[in-house]
């Protein structure tokens, strides 16, 4: 038949060119037989923010909140925050601090085993602390995520006691160290010299409630199975799966996932689903206006920054950008939902007239023909505003521009990608910038980096910051943190515009029990995926019947990959057609 | 195939090999002439949210590892030897060898782009031929106005519409990913079905984006052929329309095949958008993320693979043209 001639020519041409590449590239992304299907499967997604957070082992996850959470399912720390935000023992059953605050003693839980059956002892704890401290140099996570700098030494007087000596009293030790550092098995890691590239199956062996079945960076998915021998009891689900979803709302509606992290806008798109339970939590995420101080001589003047603050209506910005999914900024920088929040600081109400008055008094009373004020030298009072061009930042930047124009300050928008913005800001190449980032839940972390992240170098503030970090008396510490917030509000080194909330929805027909841990977990990650949820939560679903009985295949032995097979089939067809055509 | 044709194919092959060598050279020398030197691109940007701390000793080790202490021409030789072993270094972001990252993604892109190329070419040829046959009539006008619209609609917009209509409203196809993770396949056919259903929407999206180019080309080439004496002769002989069309198509296939192969390079750009919209785990998404994260080794590795792919396809097109058309290589 000649009719197929033209087609077969085309088909052949492109297929032949394909033949030799894909066949040699076997992707582990291939579909795998999941073996015996478990009865109770919960599928979740972090939503549109992504799905690949790195290999879930203490020194290989990508250094972002979700990466730590993925790791925390397999690994336990000494203590862990529960639903109330208080610490409950995981690998430690009780603990005490010496009167001078320098020595912490942890009494460990007995009869705990690693996923591979080896017994857990105090040696694993001392090994982990030393190992992470030693590898901090080559591992960005080790340096940035685990605060081992305060630790002097760790020793184990016996198999179930660990003594941690600090080099100074450190108030947030529990929140920032004991509840964060995941304990690793010495027998697996003692010979690993480069932990950042160690991603064998064994690298995910911990004591946690879940055992890693599969991590796939191409499909951006994780699969965990329940650890039947978990010391707090068996998890109420058998399998926990995380997948990437481009549109979590659609995924929830069609039942691809049972639970998803969402934005408020997405939550509102869900309102017609009755069996969805939506929870809200503090996001510990701030959008703020950053000034180039002390380099910019105009913005260096505190009065000008106050004028800018008066010209912005943060409540309105929040409404227009997050539609109620957040809280307007607060001059003291600490978000109102934090237990460290101090409401008694200088407030800057939205008042364009007051702003104009300050600017007049500062010598910017001349106004050019375009409505922009002039400096005494006759230059325009105009600033460049740098921001990473995502949707929220774009809206915020445009609002800031129009508010400042109202009081006669010109703003030139300079969008860029995140890395470019960071680079320019770090190099001091900017006037104003919109910055958005997580704010830790503990003042030690939240405020101690404040000087670096604002360029505001205030001696009194720095000394308060150091003092509160080593103040063990909570009342005394609270007083210091209050004073820090007063200082910030008085000098306006940066303007917090708004704080974002976090939301998530879960299908009640499947599972109930998610909560947002007050103060976050892992040093302040605001997430609903506290592993205790899967121990104390409630499974409401029907178990899916076991489908088929495929042989169990491990992570290492993927069946041949789909794209390869399909391509091979097409190639065969093409060659065959080309041959026939020529005959 | 005679000796002249074989000779033509070999000489073309030599040209492509040279081109590829030049691409490798650019890939090697470019980062070395960038401010900050090659180490910076190995370690990522110093302004990243997590600057990599390295001490002098580590730095020297790294310099040795990358042969940065050797003269440049020796470095280049080492680079070529490594490339021949598919060693493109380590990804900064993923912390695994670049070739591992790419090999997980390449098959998916080949699947998506291959099928899209096929679909858009076949459709483009059919519509283009009809259009030129009916020149100036209503059908031609409709097609001529309608089809380029697909090219002018932004890909991500079209993608969002497809997601909303078919993924959400009708629930016919999955809207993201390349397969259902951890689905329990009941055998080969169910796996193919799963992969195919994930492929549908990105495929339609990418094909719609690529098809207008082929359509316009085919329409123009065939319109030129319509003027030729042989067409008049065919019609005079009273051949059926379908016969005449086939003659026209066979005589105009050469430029189309070449054009389609040349379009591949641009198609990668389209694939980048489509893969981003549908979270399809191919090279496009990888390059996009690597750019966001400033993962230079991955970008460079992807660049080499993409270049190799485009060159291979062009070479294959040359071979096919020589095979079909006896005149090729005899100028």
């Amino acid at each position: 038949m000649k009719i197929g001639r033209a087609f077969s020519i085309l088909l052949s041409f492109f297929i032949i060119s394909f033949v030799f590449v894909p066949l040699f590239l076997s992707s582990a992304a291939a579909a795998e037989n999941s073996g015996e299907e478990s009865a109770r499967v919960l599928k979740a997604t972090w939503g549109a923010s992504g799905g690949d957070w790195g290999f879930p082992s203490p020194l290989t996850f990508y250094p972002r909140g979700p990466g730590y959470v993925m790791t925390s399912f397999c690994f336990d720390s000494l203590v862990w925050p529960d639903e109330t935000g208080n610490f409950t023992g995981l690998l430690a059953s009780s603990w005490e601090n010496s009167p001078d605050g320098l020595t912490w003693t942890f009494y460990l839980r007995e009869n705990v085993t690693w996923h591979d059956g080896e017994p857990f002892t105090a040696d694993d704890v001392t090994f982990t602390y030393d190992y992470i401290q030693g590898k901090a140099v080559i591992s960005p996570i080790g340096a940035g995520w685990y605060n081992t700098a305060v630790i002097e030494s760790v020793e184990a007087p016996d198999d179930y006691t660990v003594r941690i000596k600090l080099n100074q009293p450190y108030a947030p030790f529990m929140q920032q160290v004991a509840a964060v550092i995941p304990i690793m098995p010495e027998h697996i890691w003692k010979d690993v010299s480069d932990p950042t590239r160690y991603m064998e199956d064994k690298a995910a062996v911990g004591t946690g409630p879940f055992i890693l079945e599969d991590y796939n960076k191409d499909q951006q998915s994780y699969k965990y199975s329940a650890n039947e021998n978990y010391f707090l009891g068996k998890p109420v689900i058998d399998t926990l799966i995380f997948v990437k979803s481009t549109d979590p709302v659609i995924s929830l509606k069609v039942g691809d996932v049972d639970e998803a992290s969402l934005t408020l806008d997405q939550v509102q798109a869900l309102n017609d689903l009755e069996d969805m339970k939506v929870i809200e939590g503090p996001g510990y995420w701030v959008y703020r206006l950053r000034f180039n101080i002390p380099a910019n001589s105009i913005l260096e003047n505190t009065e000008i920054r106050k004028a800018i603050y008066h010209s912005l209506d943060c409540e309105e910005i929040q409404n227009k950008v997050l539609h109620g999914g957040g809280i307007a900024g607060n001059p003291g920088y600490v978000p109102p939902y934090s237990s460290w929040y101090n409401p008694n600081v200088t407030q800057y109400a939205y008042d364009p007239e007051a702003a104009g008055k300050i600017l007049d008094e500062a010598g910017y009373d001349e106004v050019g023909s375009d409505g922009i004020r002039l400096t005494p030298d006759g230059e325009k009072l105009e600033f460049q505003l740098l921001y990473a061009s995502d949707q929220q930042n774009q809206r915020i930047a445009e609002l800031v521009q129009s508010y400042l124009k109202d009081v006669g300050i010109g703003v030139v928008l300079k969008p860029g990608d995140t890395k470019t913005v960071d680079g320019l800001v770090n190099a001091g190449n900017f006037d104003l910038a919109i910055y958005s980032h997580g704010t830790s839940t503990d003042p030690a972390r939240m405020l101690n980096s404040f000087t670096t992240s604002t360029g505001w170098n205030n001696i009194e503030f720095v000394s308060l910051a150091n003092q509160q970090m080593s103040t063990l008396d909570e009342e005394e510490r609270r007083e210091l943190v209050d004073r820090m917030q007063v200082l910030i509000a008085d000098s306006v080194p940066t303007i917090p515009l708004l704080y974002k909330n976090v939301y998530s929805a879960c299908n009640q027909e499947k599972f109930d029990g998610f909560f947002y841990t007050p103060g976050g977990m892992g040093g302040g990650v605001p997430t609903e995926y506290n592993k205790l949820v899967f121990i104390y939560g409630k499974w409401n679903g029907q178990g899916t019947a076991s489908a088929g009985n495929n042989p169990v295949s491990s992570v290492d032995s993927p069946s041949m990959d789909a794209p390869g097979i399909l391509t091979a089939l097409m190639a065969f067809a093409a060659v065959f057609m080309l041959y026939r055509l020529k005959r | 195939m005679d000796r002249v044709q074989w000779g033509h194919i070999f000489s073309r092959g030599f040209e492509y090999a040279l081109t590829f060598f030049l691409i490798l050279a650019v890939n090697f020398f470019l980062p070395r002439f960038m401010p900050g030197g090659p180490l910076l691109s190995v370690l990522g940007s110093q302004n990243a949210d997590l600057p990599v701390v390295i001490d002098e000793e580590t730095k020297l080790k790294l310099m040795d590892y990358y042969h940065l202490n050797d003269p440049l021409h020796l470095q280049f030789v080492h680079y070529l030897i490594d490339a021949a072993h598919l060693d493109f270094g380590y990804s900064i972001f993923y912390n695994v060898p670049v070739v591992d990252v790419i090999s997980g993604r390449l098959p998916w892109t080949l699947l998506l782009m291959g099928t899209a190329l096929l679909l858009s070419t076949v459709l483009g040829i059919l519509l283009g031929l009809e259009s030129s046959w009916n020149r100036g009539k209503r059908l031609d006008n409709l097609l001529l106005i309608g089809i380029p619209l697909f090219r002018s609609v932004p890909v991500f917009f079209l993608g969002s519409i497809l997601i909303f209509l078919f993924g959400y409203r009708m629930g016919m196809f999955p809207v993201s990913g390349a397969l259902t993770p951890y689905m329990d396949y009941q055998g080969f056919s169910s796996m193919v079905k799963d992969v195919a259903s994930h492929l549908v929407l990105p495929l339609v999206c990418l094909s719609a984006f690529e098809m207008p180019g082929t359509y316009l080309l085919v329409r123009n080439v065939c319109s030129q052929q319509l003027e030729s004496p042989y067409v008049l002769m065919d019609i005079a002989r009273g051949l059926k329309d379908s016969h005449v069309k086939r003659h026209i198509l066979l005589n105009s296939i050469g430029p189309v095949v070449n054009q389609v192969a040349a379009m591949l390079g641009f198609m990668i750009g389209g694939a980048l958008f489509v893969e981003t919209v549908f979270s399809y785990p191919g090279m496009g998404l990888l390059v996009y993320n690597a750019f966001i994260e400033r993962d230079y080794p991955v970008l460079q590795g992807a660049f080499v693979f993409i270049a190799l792919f485009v060159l291979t396809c062009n070479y294959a097109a040359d071979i096919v043209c020589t095979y079909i058309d006896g005149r090729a290589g005899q100028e």
Side-chain angles (χ1 to χ4, degrees), chain A residues 378-391:
Chain A
E379 300 279 319
K380 273 190 186 182
L381 183 61
E382 194 168 61
F383 302 109
Q384 294 194 340
L385 176 61
L386 202 61
Y387 60 97
S389 54
D390 63 41
Q391 205 183 2

Side-chain angles (χ1 to χ4, degrees), chain A residues 523-539:
Chain A
V525 182
T527 170
E528 72 276 24
Y529 302 117
N530 183 326
K531 59 188 160 192
L532 299 179
V533 164
F534 304 111
I535 310 290
Y536 303 123
K538 191 161 158 286
W539 175 260

